Amino acid sequence: MAATTTVFLVRHAKAANRDHWDGADRDRPLIDKGWAQAERLAAALAPEKPALVAASPWRRCVETAEPLARAAGLEVRPDERLGYNAPDLAGFVTACAREHPGRAVVAVGHGDLIPSYLATAGLLDGMPRFRTGSLFRLELRDGRPRRLTLVDRGDLAP
């Protein structure tokens, strides 16, 4: 029987406006609206019982992942493959299928890197509207993409 691994590729929640932020971009925190989005993501994804909650090491991604990790009884695992310094979403997804067959995995990353990976992998035809706090549900069977679904933040329960 083939194992289906589900990888939830989450765009980080709403962060401080980069035009008004004085610090390094990697240190931009979530704003109140972002924390509310992170809580909605946690409520939506906790029932999936993720085996792993990973995030780009950038602050807004880690903060987005924290409520879900807490709900799942896990620690957020920072992963450079999900960030800008060493992006490799293909490698991350392949490793998830190998290391967590038949399980759910959550990866919090960036709104440009996730669709770029999906388009390069031939899974997207054009660039969709991918708002903060939204996600793609990627189902893999035996490590190969089987189905991709965009879940907009507006479709998550409040």
Side-chain angles (χ1 to χ4, degrees):
M1 181 68 114
T4 299
T5 303
T6 304
V7 181
F8 293 94
L9 299 169
V10 178
R11 180 177 180 184
H12 65 77
K14 185 74 174 160
N17 185 315
R18 71 174 43 107
D19 294 334
H20 299 101
W21 177 251
D22 290 332
D25 188 45
R26 72 177 293 123
D27 296 330
R28 275 192 305 128
L30 296 185
I31 60 174
D32 288 346
K33 180 178 179 178
W35 282 108
Q37 290 173 351
E39 291 293 342
R40 274 196 305 280
L41 285 162
L45 295 174
E48 300 288 339
K49 297 183 172 55
L52 170 68
V53 177
S56 160
W58 293 48
R59 181 175 176 182
R60 57 192 175 269
C61 296
V62 172
E63 288 182 347
T64 300
E66 286 172 350
L68 173 59
R70 202 169 32 255
L74 300 169
E75 298 274 331
V76 176
R77 187 166 83 190
D79 194 312
E80 290 287 350
R81 295 174 293 183
L82 302 173
Y84 289 115
N85 293 347
D88 182 13
L89 270 78
F92 177 85
V93 168
T94 299
C96 288
R98 184 179 61 250
E99 296 167 14
H100 304 287
R103 302 287 309 273
V105 172
V106 176
V108 180
H110 302 274
D112 52 348
L113 295 179
I114 293 169
S116 291
Y117 152 68
L118 294 169
T120 300
L123 300 171
L124 275 183
D125 191 18
M127 290 302 198
R129 184 167 182 229
F130 187 41
R131 302 189 303 165
T132 58
S134 299
L135 62 94
F136 284 97
R137 177 188 177 108
L138 176 60
E139 294 177 19
L140 307 165
R141 177 157 295 156
D142 293 332
R144 289 190 209 76
R146 182 169 176 255
R147 184 182 335 183
L148 179 70
T149 307
L150 172 60
V151 180
D152 184 76
R153 69 181 185 215
D155 296 330
L156 298 174

